[in-house]
Amino acid sequence: QVHLVESGGGAVQPGGSLRLSCSASDSGTRHMCIGWVRQRPGKEPEGVASFNTNDRSAFYGPIPRGRFTISEDNTTNAVLLQMNNLEPTDTAAYYCAAILGEYTGNWCRPSRLRDQGDWGHGTQVYVEY
């Protein structure tokens, strides 16, 4: 099981930006499907974005609509979620999620992280005036 620690949440006005970071440790491997799941108040969890460290492919859930970008920091191996043009409906707890292993094709998807991944404790994002 991998230990995940998120950082970078906070409060921002609509139209603003935030960058979330996730550090994975104790995994024994760098091969994993990793990404972000969020849960808005009163809603079911949603898969936001996924990143496959094996082939560096990325997929996004329907909600970000081009506003979010997932990437890996080549220096620290942290997985980043750059969120731009934030909207009040983006207010949520954001969780880093991961599944260890080497995967190919489109196996590594945000919905799979939501349903099968190990989650961190989360970081809160507030988008409000």
Side-chain angles (χ1 to χ4, degrees):
Q1 189 171 1
V2 60
H3 179 62
L4 302 167
V5 178
E6 305 95 334
S7 63
V12 65
Q13 292 189 351
S17 299
L18 283 174
R19 188 177 73 172
L20 306 182
S21 178
C22 173
S23 295
S25 61
D26 301 329
S27 65
T29 177
R30 279 301 308 161
H31 296 290
M32 63 184 73
C33 171
I34 186 168
W36 296 89
V37 175
R38 75 180 186 183
Q39 188 163 21
R40 294 183 283 174
K43 303 290 187 180
E44 293 293 315
E46 304 167 296
V48 176
S50 62
F51 182 85
N52 186 339
T53 64
N54 192 43
D55 63 11
R56 305 187 71 78
S57 60
F59 290 95
Y60 297 90
I63 298 300
R65 294 189 297 275
R67 298 180 294 117
F68 295 0
T69 302
I70 190 170
S71 63
E72 184 180 37
D73 185 310
N74 292 327
T75 301
T76 65
N77 294 129
V79 175
L80 309 174
L81 184 69
Q82 179 66 41
M83 305 187 293
N84 298 327
N85 195 21
L86 284 161
E87 304 169 354
T89 52
D90 294 317
T91 294
Y94 285 74
Y95 299 90
C96 184
I99 306 171
L100 301 182
E102 296 185 51
Y103 306 103
T104 58
N106 62 0
W107 190 95
C108 178
R109 290 279 192 170
S111 56
R112 199 178 295 273
L113 287 172
R114 177 198 63 203
D115 298 336
Q116 301 179 22
D118 294 321
W119 293 19
H121 291 295
T123 185
Q124 187 67 44
V125 170
Y126 297 97
V127 185
E128 55 194 6
Y129 289 101

